[in-house]
């Protein structure tokens, strides 16, 4: 890079994000930029990255019927492109908001949500026009980049307009440009639509800038860093990239993962220091793990808060509203929903806790469940501290089990249990001495007689 083309002074920055395209290749009723990566719409991934560049303004270009895009972009300015006539046409509705703005304008494609910030910072520091490019073994469908012998950018040609020779070029256009605000309007006005698609291509801007003697420069990124989402196959590939970004973030923050590639995170997952994640753990929205939490393999967590040093799984399921205390043990095949679980509670195996509050130091036995639904309404179960719920107990809500109570195994409980009481609700067992031996003898005799006849 020629250092004379680098600007020392920090110039004001405006960012224009193009998001008005229908995204018909996605075959989806959603606008393309509303498709999510790790639970966050692509447009919001991009907006969050943009915020790190500290711009003076961000303008999102949407189509008039894209209310959800406008809502996702708030509080930033949203302007509308009434007809999708191409990427150069899409920038035009943003021009009135840039009138009198004297700085750099960074133009981003809304369908390239994971664009690396370092590259954008380099572009902003460059005077003249700059474009982001990458070399790829999969150039199909992308604009090809032509360089001059001095390495400057000569032209970008869309694949549909390439001749056979140009199609062999593997240097491709990422679709991200940085231009001086004052030149943007005249350059856009110079772009025509005499091409295979009859559209106004932003890719024609570099050759216009170069013809006017402006420096045209390319900055190169790895093709794996961002190459755009046009199809659901590319969306899935970007999801994998987003997962890797999130995994690395958590690993660098001190989380242990035995096999990070099998841990699926949500964009807002919060994991404290020294947490341990065994393979095959899935995080849905709004999960917070405080420090030292140990999540064993095959656990599924969503909208849950887990206190420090608790253990979950293997095969634990925390559903929305699970509020788990500290040093809690939630073992295999345990499901907790809309419930608070006090410190040091043990829910070691095969249990369902729904719409319940469980006090500290309580033991909730194997196979015990809260019966919270009567077919019409949900009811709450209140369990105090130091309670012992035996195995295979049904607690028919609404019900209160007070501190220190013992609920005998196999009981179906319909009445409240007072403090320190034993409640037992099962039929008594009956012992018949020698019965089994007599029964066996009788059956064997019958079998032998049948064989003999
Ligand atoms: C574009 C580039 C191509 C580049 C590729 C990188 C052009 C002509 N082509 O192609 O050189 O290699 O990106 O991914 O620029 N949009 C609008 N209004 C429109 C058309 C598009 O807002 O009228 C928006 C879309 O919502 C999308 C972005 O612009 O976010 C890019 O449009 P898309 O149709 O995906 O362009 P590509 O064919 O991928
Ligand atoms: Ca695209």
């Amino acid at each position: 890079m020629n250092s004379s083309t680098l600007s020392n002074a920090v110039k004001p920055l405006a960012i224009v994000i193009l998001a008005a395209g229908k995204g018909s290749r996605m075959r989806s009723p959603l606008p393309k930029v509303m498709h999510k990566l790790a639970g966050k719409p692509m447009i919001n991934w991009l907006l969050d990255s943009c915020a790190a560049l500290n711009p003076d303004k961000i303008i999102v270009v949407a189509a008039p019927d894209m209310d959800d895009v406008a809502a996702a972009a708030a509080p930033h300015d949203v302007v509308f492109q009434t007809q999708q006539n191409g990427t150069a046409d899409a920038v035009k509705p943003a021009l009135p908001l840039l009138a009198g703005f004297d700085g750099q304008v960074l133009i981003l494609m809304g369908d390239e949500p994971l664009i690396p910030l370092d590259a954008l910072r380099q572009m902003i520091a460059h005077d003249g026009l700059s474009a982001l490019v990458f070399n790829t073994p999969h150039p199909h469908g992308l604009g090809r980049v032509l360089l001059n012998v001095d390495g400057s950018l000569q032209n970008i040609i869309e694949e549909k307009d390439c001749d056979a020779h140009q199609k062999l070029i593997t240097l491709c256009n990422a679709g991200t440009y940085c231009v001086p605000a004052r030149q943007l309007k005249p350059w856009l006005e110079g772009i025509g639509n005499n091409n295979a698609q009859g559209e106004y291509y932003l890719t024609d801007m570099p050759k216009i800038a170069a013809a006017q003697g402006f420096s045209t420069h390319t900055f190169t990124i790895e093709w794996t860093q961002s190459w755009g989402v046009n199809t659901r196959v590319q969306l899935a590939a970007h999801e994998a990239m987003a997962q890797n970004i999130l995994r690395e973030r958590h690993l660098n923050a001190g989380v242990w993962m035995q096999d990070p590639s099998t841990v699926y995170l949500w964009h807002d997952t919060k994991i404290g220091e020294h947490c341990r994640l065994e393979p095959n753990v899935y995080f849905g929205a709004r999960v917070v793990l405080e420090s030292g939490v140990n999540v064993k393999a095959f656990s599924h967590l969503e909208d849950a808060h887990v206190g420090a040093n608790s253990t979950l799984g293997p095969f634990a399921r925390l559903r929305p509203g699970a509020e788990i205390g500290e040093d809690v043990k939630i073992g295999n095949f345990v499901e907790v929903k809309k419930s608070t679980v006090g410190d040091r509670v043990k829910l070691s195996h095969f249990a369902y806790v729904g719409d319940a509050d469980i006090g500290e130091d309580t033991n909730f036995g194997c196979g015990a469940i809260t019966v919270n639904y009567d077919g019409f309404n949900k009811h709450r179960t209140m369990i105090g501290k130091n309670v012992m719920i035996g195995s295979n107990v049904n607690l028919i809500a609404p019900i209160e089990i007070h501190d220190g109570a013992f609920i005998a195994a196999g009981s179906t409980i319909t009445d409240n249990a007072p403090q320190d009481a034993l409640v037992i609700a099962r039929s008594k067992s009956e012992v018949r001495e020698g019965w089994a031996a007599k029964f066996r003898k009788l059956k064997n005799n019958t079998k032998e007689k049948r064989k003999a006849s």
Side-chain angles (χ1 to χ4, degrees):
M1 186 197 324
N2 180 350
S3 58
S4 65
T5 58
L6 274 182
S7 135
N8 293 325
V10 179
K11 292 183 187 161
L13 173 68
I15 300 178
V16 178
I17 299 176
L18 306 188
K22 285 192 228 67
S24 40
R25 288 168 281 184
M26 295 292 281
R27 294 170 178 263
S28 160
L30 272 187
K32 182 160 57 172
V33 297
M34 291 308 292
H35 287 84
K36 293 173 180 168
L37 302 178
K40 180 161 76 172
M42 292 200 277
I43 184 79
N44 294 101
W45 276 88
L46 203 47
L47 286 167
D48 289 352
S49 291
C50 289
L53 297 172
N54 210 12
D56 296 86
K57 60 174 87 188
I58 296 177
I59 305 165
V60 174
V61 183
D65 58 349
M66 292 179 179
D67 293 344
D68 42 2
V69 174
H76 303 292
D77 288 315
V78 179
V79 294
F80 298 104
Q81 183 195 21
T82 42
Q83 271 196 318
Q84 277 64 68
N85 287 332
T87 43
D89 181 68
V91 181
K92 288 178 186 162
L95 289 175
L97 296 183
L98 293 168
F101 181 79
D102 191 11
Q104 299 279 75
V105 181
L106 187 64
I107 302 170
L108 304 174
M109 304 282 135
D111 63 358
E112 285 181 31
L114 304 178
I115 205 96
L117 271 176
D118 289 352
L120 299 183
R121 288 199 178 94
Q122 284 180 306
M123 293 175 79
I124 294 162
H126 185 266
D127 281 332
L129 178 145
S130 59
L132 208 56
V133 302
F134 51 78
N135 247 307
T136 172
H138 309 290
H140 177 67
L142 297 164
R144 306 299 206 279
V145 174
L146 272 59
L147 300 179
N148 293 310
V149 274
D150 64 357
S152 61
L153 173 58
Q154 183 191 98
N155 198 4
I156 302 169
I157 306 179
E158 287 306 285
E159 186 174 75
K160 285 185 177 146
D161 300 299
C162 282
D163 59 31
H165 179 69
Q166 287 164 334
K167 275 192 187 147
L168 300 175
I169 296 172
T170 55
L171 189 64
C172 292
N173 173 32
T176 300
Y177 318 88
C178 192
V179 298
R182 276 194 279 188
Q183 302 307 323
L184 183 58
K185 189 163 185 272
W187 286 350
L188 288 178
E189 281 168 355
I191 295 175
N193 65 349
N194 184 17
N195 52 54
Q197 297 196 100
E199 286 189 357
Y200 296 87
Y201 290 162
L202 208 42
T203 45
D204 285 348
M205 195 166 49
K207 71 172 179 227
I208 295 175
Q212 293 178 8
F214 283 86
S215 132
T216 53
H217 193 83
T218 56
F219 289 94
T220 309
I221 55 172
E222 295 293 320
W223 75 271
T224 45
Q225 287 182 292
S226 191
W227 39 282
V229 175
N230 291 333
T231 64
R232 285 185 186 266
V233 171
Q234 290 165 342
L235 181 72
H238 280 69
E239 174 72 32
M241 287 158 67
Q243 288 297 333
N244 279 335
I245 289 170
L246 294 171
R247 287 169 190 142
E248 278 184 24
R249 235 179 247 170
H250 289 291
L251 289 166
N252 288 331
V255 175
W256 177 86
M257 299 184 206
Q258 188 172 16
D259 184 354
S261 66
T262 65
V263 172
Y264 288 86
L265 297 151
W266 208 256
H267 69 95
D268 63 357
T269 304
K270 291 191 176 60
I271 308 179
E273 277 184 315
H274 318 305
C275 283
R276 295 170 60 82
L277 306 179
E278 288 185 3
N280 295 301
V281 175
Y282 181 89
F283 289 88
R286 295 178 296 280
V287 175
V288 179
L289 304 185
E290 300 294 348
S291 62
V293 171
N294 189 4
V295 187
K296 298 191 178 180
F298 298 101
S299 292
H300 189 285
L301 322 173
E302 54 182 327
D303 202 353
H305 180 267
V306 183
N309 303 318
S310 290
T311 298
L312 310 176
F315 296 97
R317 175 152 190 224
L318 297 187
R319 289 176 51 205
E323 184 66 40
I324 312 298
E326 297 184 1
D327 294 301
V328 169
K329 182 176 179 221
I330 296 194
N332 44 254
F333 306 107
V334 172
E335 174 178 337
V336 181
K337 180 216 80 163
K338 236 189 204 178
S339 297
T340 57
V341 175
D343 295 345
R344 298 174 299 283
V345 164
K346 285 193 171 60
L347 281 149
S348 298
H349 3 242
F350 300 95
Y352 173 61
V353 174
D355 303 295
D357 299 292
I358 304 181
E360 294 162 15
D361 299 297
T362 282
N363 187 89
F364 200 92
C366 175
I369 61 167
T370 55
V371 183
N372 58 333
Y373 186 49
D374 61 13
F376 297 92
N377 295 305
K378 301 277 168 67
H379 302 282
R380 285 201 85 79
T381 296
M382 193 288 289
I383 302 173
K385 297 176 191 171
N386 270 307
V387 168
M388 172 66 200
I389 308 281
S391 293
N392 214 24
V393 162
N394 301 312
L395 298 169
I396 314 279
I399 196 162
E400 294 179 8
I401 311 295
H402 289 273
D403 292 353
F406 256 66
I407 307 297
S411 296
T412 292
I413 306 292
T414 51
D415 296 315
N416 293 345
Q419 186 169 346
D420 293 326
L422 165 69
V423 184
I424 179 161
R426 64 184 188 217
S427 49
K428 280 205 160 169
S429 46
E430 189 186 324
V431 181
R432 298 186 190 176
E433 293 279 356
W435 181 94
K438 276 186 214 155
F439 179 73
R440 227 177 277 121
K441 196 171 170 196
L442 180 74
K443 287 290 180 191
N444 284 338
N445 284 346
T446 328
K447 211 196 264 174
E448 271 157 34
K449 268 185 205 153
R450 216 184 288 135
K451 263 194 225 159
S453 62

